[in-house]
Structures are given as C-alpha cells and as structure tokens.
Amino acid sequence: MKPVTKAVLPVAGFGTRVLPATKTVPKEMLTVVDRPALQYVVDEAIEAGIEHFVFITARGKIAIEDYFDSAYELEDALLRKGKTDILDTLKSKTPREGTMSFVRQQQAKGLGHAVWCARDIIGDEPFAVLLPDVLIQSKTSCLAQMMEAYHKVGGNIIAVDPVPDERVSSYGVIKPKPGEDFRSKKLIAMNGMVEKPSVADAPSNLKITGRYILQPELMGLLRDQAAGAGGEIQLTDAMARLMETQDFHAFAYEGQDFDCGSKLGYFEAVLAFAREHKDIGEAAQDMIRKSAALK
Ligand code: G1P
C-alpha cells in the first residue's frame, strides 16, 4: 500500500455566499479567531502526515500564495523587537520550502476539474483532497482519523456524516452496500454515490463532508468526465465510476464540521474555535454566555 503524502486543496471558488467580504479577500483567507480558515485545514493535513500541498487557485487568489510565503521584513521587525513568541508562531505555520505547489484552474468547470488540474503533481500516488470551505473541529484531525482507516482497508475513503433528509440536496450523498449499518460501524463499504440528489432520489442521508483519500486512477476518469449537477464536472461522478473497479469505504469521523462558505456556518465556526482557543477560550465562553442571556 503506497503512503498518502500529497493533498489537493481546491481554493479557486468565488465565495459568492459570503460576498461582499470575498470581493477582495479569498474566502479561504477569512479569519477564524486569529488565523485564516485555510490554516486550520493545512494543520489538519499536516497532523495526518501530508508532506506536499497542491493548491488549485484562480485569478484574485494571490493572497493565499503570499500567506504561505515567508515575510522577511515582518520577521526581521519582530526579531528586532524581541517578539520571538509571535515569530515562532508565524514560522511554525509556514510549510517548508518546496512542499507547496500552486496550480491555476484556468476555467471554472467544477470541483472534478479542479482536482484534475493537480494530475501532473500527483502522478501515480494515492492522494488526499480537502475542501477548505469545510472546517472540522476534532480531537484528532479528521484526515488523520481517515489515514488510520486507510492503513486498515486501503482503496478509497470518503468522510461522511448524517444530515437531516431535507438537506441531502446540498451535498454529495453515498449509497452503503446492502447490510452495512452506519450506526454500528465507523467504516462501511459503499457501492454508489450521487451529487446533489433530490430527497426522493437520495440513496441515504450520509453526506460527503469534503475529506477524501483517493487512488490516482481517478485522474484518468476525470479527464473525460462529462458535466453533471449544476453543469459542472463533478468529483462525485468520477468517483462513482471508479467504484466499478475499486473499493470505496465511507468513514464516520469524530468531530464537528462547519461550512465556512456560508454566513451562518462561518459564524458558527468562529464561535466554536474561539471557545477552544488556548488564550481567549475561557473569556470567549463567558462572552457567549452573556450574549445568549441578552434579549
Ligand atoms: C462539494 C462536493 C459535495 C460535498 C460538498 C461538501 O459540493 O461536490 O459532494 O458534499 O462539497 O461540502 P459544493 O459544496 O462545492 O457544492
């Protein structure tokens, strides 16, 4: 079994649901307490053993590249002022030189197309995909939990979570193999998935959360994948095809996910990460309690 050391992070989307904030700031750079949302996702991947990051970017997203670069003037100023603690935090958040690639998705053709843009860098290795709109708060990083499962069963692993029936049409939804009971097992075999189904057509209420471990053969299928839901080339459709020849497991992670691409999801993430923050956690909890008591 080949190890998973590369991760693809599609960051090319417009962020229309959180306009006007995202008119000049990429949605992945919106601050959650004291760091961009994207930093949480990179930290999650590092904890899982990822060594190389492939960011799929677009025009107007240059702030992401700058954020992960070193900032000589700033670092020098901090050093001279003796602010070494801030300097250490800054440096610890920057992946090493040569471990990040930035690839432009030149046409907005959908998530499947974005992932396919990473094909030359992925080569013939299994890889992870993390959708940075989704933040997951957990004791052990979600991708690290999935890696453990991957080492047991190999193949392709998709993080899933139950949602109320009326919300299935907002997500990719998986179809468990007959006899597989998600409530009693963390890892179940599946034999289908569909992108944004109607409630009536949904094969289950298990939504795809935005964390994947995938085999490189998927890239070949993405090359000729026809447009699907919303007229876009969907990752889900290519995975459904790969399922004809490879094993796919759905994985129930421990943790809480937040959709930072939406106003309310973003707000909920800020509250949740503030409560857990090592410096301001207690004060934040106090503030949230007081605010809840207000009429
Ligand atoms: C994407 C995927 C979908 C998944 C979702 C998770 O959809 O296509 O399968 O359930 O992310 O957030 P999007 O939110 O980009 O429409």
Side-chain angles (χ1 to χ4, degrees):
M1 191 188 296
K2 282 191 185 170
V4 181
T5 61
K6 293 176 185 166
V8 178
L9 287 82
V11 291
F14 285 133
T16 40
R17 289 181 294 162
V18 275
L19 276 167
T22 47
K23 193 175 168 193
T24 53
V25 180
K27 62 177 169 175
E28 300 79 11
M29 296 303 290
L30 294 178
T31 312
V32 175
V33 188
D34 58 358
R35 63 203 63 187
L38 185 56
Q39 180 74 63
Y40 291 87
V41 183
V42 167
D43 287 348
E44 177 188 335
I46 290 174
E47 191 184 323
I50 293 301
E51 294 169 6
H52 193 103
F53 293 85
V54 189
F55 296 94
I56 309 301
T57 71
R59 285 163 67 82
K61 295 279 185 158
I62 203 75
I64 294 175
E65 211 162 322
D66 285 344
Y67 174 78
F68 287 111
D69 197 357
S70 65
Y72 174 75
E73 295 86 349
L74 174 64
E75 288 168 17
D76 187 54
L78 290 171
L79 189 65
R80 277 188 285 112
K81 287 184 181 155
K83 297 191 172 174
T84 48
D85 50 338
I86 305 179
L87 187 59
D88 289 347
T89 309
L90 214 60
K91 285 192 165 168
S92 71
K93 296 292 166 204
T94 309
R96 281 179 307 117
E97 286 155 310
T99 64
M100 290 170 286
S101 302
F102 296 85
V103 179
R104 289 275 178 122
Q105 184 188 16
Q106 289 155 324
Q107 304 172 70
K109 287 182 166 183
L111 177 61
H113 177 258
V115 171
W116 180 70
C117 289
R119 65 198 180 282
D120 282 358
I121 301 169
I122 295 302
D124 62 355
E125 291 176 32
F127 60 101
V129 175
L130 299 100
L131 306 189
D133 270 1
V134 181
L135 295 193
I136 303 180
Q137 190 175 47
S138 54
K139 238 192 271 159
T140 304
S141 103
C142 176
L143 189 63
Q145 297 174 41
M146 291 170 70
M147 288 287 198
E148 210 185 312
Y150 175 73
H151 291 134
K152 286 186 197 135
V153 295
N156 301 270
I157 315 260
I158 314 292
V160 301
D161 194 41
V163 284
D165 288 347
E166 64 274 15
R167 286 181 52 209
V168 288
S169 59
S170 302
Y171 298 100
V173 174
I174 68 121
K175 181 178 179 196
K177 274 192 179 165
E180 290 281 41
D181 183 4
F182 192 69
R183 280 156 304 183
S184 59
K185 282 207 289 187
K186 279 176 74 113
L187 196 60
I188 59 170
M190 60 167 126
N191 60 4
M193 55 172 71
V194 41
E195 182 68 16
K196 313 233 163 65
S198 64
V199 179
D201 293 339
S204 74
N205 71 336
L206 297 173
K207 70 146 200 243
I208 298 172
T209 299
R211 300 293 185 269
Y212 314 76
I213 293 176
L214 298 167
Q215 296 300 319
E217 291 74 20
L218 184 77
M219 291 297 189
L221 297 174
L222 282 172
R223 184 177 46 228
D224 62 9
Q225 182 60 51
E232 298 191 335
I233 297 174
Q234 295 291 351
L235 182 62
T236 303
D237 294 343
M239 292 192 296
R241 284 165 66 207
L242 185 60
M243 222 174 278
E244 289 164 18
T245 52
Q246 292 194 7
D247 282 346
F248 272 74
H249 283 88
F251 178 71
Y253 54 93
E254 277 163 28
Q256 173 68 45
D257 60 284
F258 304 98
D259 173 13
C260 286
S262 78
K263 293 180 187 60
L264 257 186
Y266 172 67
F267 178 61
E268 202 184 1
V270 172
L271 288 181
F273 283 98
R275 293 169 66 101
E276 301 286 312
H277 193 277
K278 67 176 174 38
D279 300 333
I280 64 156
E282 267 184 47
Q285 288 183 32
D286 207 33
M287 205 177 268
I288 291 165
R289 267 194 298 272
K290 279 189 190 140
S291 157
L294 292 176
K295 287 253 162 65

